[in-house]
């Protein structure tokens, strides 16, 4: 099985299974692996959203924490790099494949930080209509302790780590994380690299917000910036640009068709993703599902 296929299967679990099901998933074969991106930063992969990590003289700073059963393996991988415990966890958004380890890390003493809407959504039952998925409210120990509305900066490990909110994109509580000195950018689920992204309309996500958030990322990135996507392999600015072009082209086609009164069936029949499917269409959202999602998002 190719690494790409493994990654997609992982994503299926992450994005399509209700959290109760996710708890029953067999994580026993999941390997958590760190890839070094700069003197102090790493990308960690396992199951669920990609993690970002800063390790250095001051503290261990973690971006997202996947699923609760993987906390032990995430900690073990971090322990290969430092003896220090995780002091900060940033959640890029509320989805459980990015926040599932919060309770474990919080109880172990980490300070959990996120946009205020992450705490709001995690505090109550949520229903993602497009996936027919209901999630329960998280226990208090899993909730972010510090919330922000616009942005917050951490001065750690010789880095300036800027966490900035991008409105109504994948959800209504997204943040992207820019490790300025390391020249590393974690995009959260604003960026699905090489697969059609999920836009959570029920949580306030919009395709226009996604594109605007990608533009924020493009503004922050240089040709040398290492970009961690929420899902998919490590990326460069040109990968992010290709993703932006794909979103704008397909979004524009569907918008136009709607404006002239075409039905969703007519839009699907016209196959508006055809020229992009080779690169983007092999993920957990097949092309027709992606078109349907964007169509419904535009209502
Ligand atoms: Zn997500």
């Amino acid at each position: 099985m190719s690494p790409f296929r493994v990654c997609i299967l992982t994503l299926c679990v992450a994005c399509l299974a209700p959290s109760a099901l996710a708890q029953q998933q067999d994580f026993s074969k999941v390997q958590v692996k760190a890839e070094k991106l700069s003197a102090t930063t790493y990308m960690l992969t396992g199951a669920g959203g990609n993690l970002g990590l800063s390790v250095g003289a001051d503290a261990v700073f973690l971006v997202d924490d996947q699923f609760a059963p993987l906390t032990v393996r995430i900690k073990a991988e971090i322990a290969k790099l430092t003896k220090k415990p995780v002091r900060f966890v940033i959640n890029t958004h509320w989805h459980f494949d990015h926040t599932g380890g919060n309770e474990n890390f919080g109880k172990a003493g980490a300070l959990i930080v996120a946009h205020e809407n992450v705490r709001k959504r995690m505090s109550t039952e949520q229903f993602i209509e497009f996936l027919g998925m209901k999630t329960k409210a998280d226990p208090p120990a899993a909730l972010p302790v510090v919330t922000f509305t616009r942005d917050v900066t951490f001065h750690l490990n010789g880095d300036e780590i800027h966490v900035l909110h991008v409105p109504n994109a994948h959800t209504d509580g997204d943040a992207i994380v820019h490790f300025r000195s390391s020249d590393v950018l974690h995009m959260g689920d604003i960026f699905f690299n090489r697969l059609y992204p999920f836009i959570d309309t029920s949580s306030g996500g919009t395709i226009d917000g996604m594109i605007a958030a990608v533009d924020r990322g493009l503004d922050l990135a240089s040709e040398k910036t290492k970009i961690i996507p929420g899902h998919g392999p490590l990326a460069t600015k040109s990968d992010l640009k290709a993703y932006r072009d794909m979103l704008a082209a397909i979004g524009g086609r569907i918008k136009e068709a709607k404006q002239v009164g075409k039905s969703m069936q007519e839009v699907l029949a016209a196959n508006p993703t055809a020229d992009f499917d080779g690169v983007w269409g092999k993920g957990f959202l097949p092309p027709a599902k992606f078109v349907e999602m964007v169509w419904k998002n535009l209502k």
Side-chain angles (χ1 to χ4, degrees):
M1 200 178 274
S2 73
F4 187 64
R5 184 145 169 76
V6 171
C7 156
I8 298 315
L9 285 178
T10 300
L11 185 66
C12 286
V13 171
C15 285
L16 297 178
S19 68
L21 267 183
Q23 294 304 317
Q24 292 159 15
Q25 287 294 331
D26 179 13
F27 288 102
S28 63
K29 296 198 175 61
V30 174
Q31 280 187 304
V32 175
K33 287 226 156 117
E35 179 180 350
K36 189 165 184 152
L37 305 182
S38 75
T40 54
T41 59
Y42 299 79
M43 166 169 151
L44 272 70
T45 50
N50 294 320
L51 309 180
L53 178 71
S54 170
V55 167
D58 301 319
V60 180
F61 176 98
L62 183 63
V63 181
D64 288 342
D65 51 29
Q66 299 188 341
F67 296 101
L70 295 176
T71 303
V72 171
R73 264 166 274 176
I74 292 167
K75 280 185 173 175
E77 191 65 9
I78 295 172
K80 292 178 189 169
L81 308 169
T82 178
K83 287 192 170 59
K84 296 188 178 84
V86 173
R87 193 158 125 206
F88 300 101
V89 172
I90 305 303
N91 294 142
T92 59
H93 61 294
W94 75 269
H95 287 157
F96 60 85
D97 55 323
H98 297 257
T99 58
N102 274 17
E103 186 175 6
N104 293 335
F105 281 104
K107 282 182 174 167
L111 186 71
I112 302 169
V113 182
H115 184 266
E116 64 177 5
N117 289 341
V118 174
R119 184 178 162 99
K120 276 185 197 155
R121 291 197 178 276
M122 288 181 73
S123 305
T124 55
E125 185 178 283
Q126 296 292 311
F127 181 63
I128 302 177
E129 192 182 347
F130 188 72
L131 301 177
M133 185 199 293
K134 201 185 270 185
T135 58
K136 288 199 188 106
D138 280 86
L143 301 178
V145 171
V146 175
T147 58
F148 60 91
T149 53
R150 210 186 69 172
D151 64 340
V152 60
T153 304
F154 294 78
H155 302 268
L156 292 170
N157 305 332
D159 220 329
E160 213 179 276
I161 308 169
H162 189 208
V163 181
L164 58 144
H165 173 56
V166 280
N168 299 94
H170 174 65
T171 66
D172 61 4
D174 300 298
I176 59 182
V177 184
H178 187 205
F179 301 83
R180 281 176 169 148
S181 311
S182 295
D183 199 10
V184 169
L185 191 59
H186 192 309
M187 292 295 291
D189 278 2
I190 299 305
F191 186 20
F192 283 54
N193 190 19
R194 304 201 134 242
L195 56 168
Y196 287 133
F198 177 56
I199 299 169
D200 186 353
T201 308
S202 299
S203 299
T206 66
I207 183 154
D208 288 343
M210 282 288 262
I211 294 169
V214 171
D215 284 339
R216 286 295 295 275
L218 287 170
D219 283 346
L220 296 171
S222 73
E223 301 307 322
K224 282 192 233 148
T225 306
K226 291 182 173 157
I227 303 179
I228 303 173
H231 298 277
L234 186 69
T236 62
K237 186 174 185 177
S238 65
D239 296 322
L240 187 60
K241 178 75 173 55
Y243 174 76
R244 198 254 182 232
D245 292 345
M246 176 276 291
L247 282 180
I250 295 174
R253 287 169 194 169
I254 298 173
K255 216 180 260 182
E256 236 168 70
K258 271 191 105 123
Q259 276 163 0
V260 297
K262 295 229 166 88
S263 71
M264 190 171 86
Q265 290 316 319
E266 287 172 311
V267 172
L268 281 166
N271 207 358
T273 63
D275 47 338
F276 292 101
D277 291 346
V279 173
W280 307 92
K282 297 177 197 112
F284 87 104
L285 275 186
K289 240 5 211 171
F290 181 62
V291 171
E292 184 192 331
M293 183 198 73
V294 173
W295 172 274
K296 288 178 174 165
N297 184 259
L298 287 168
K299 259 183 187 166

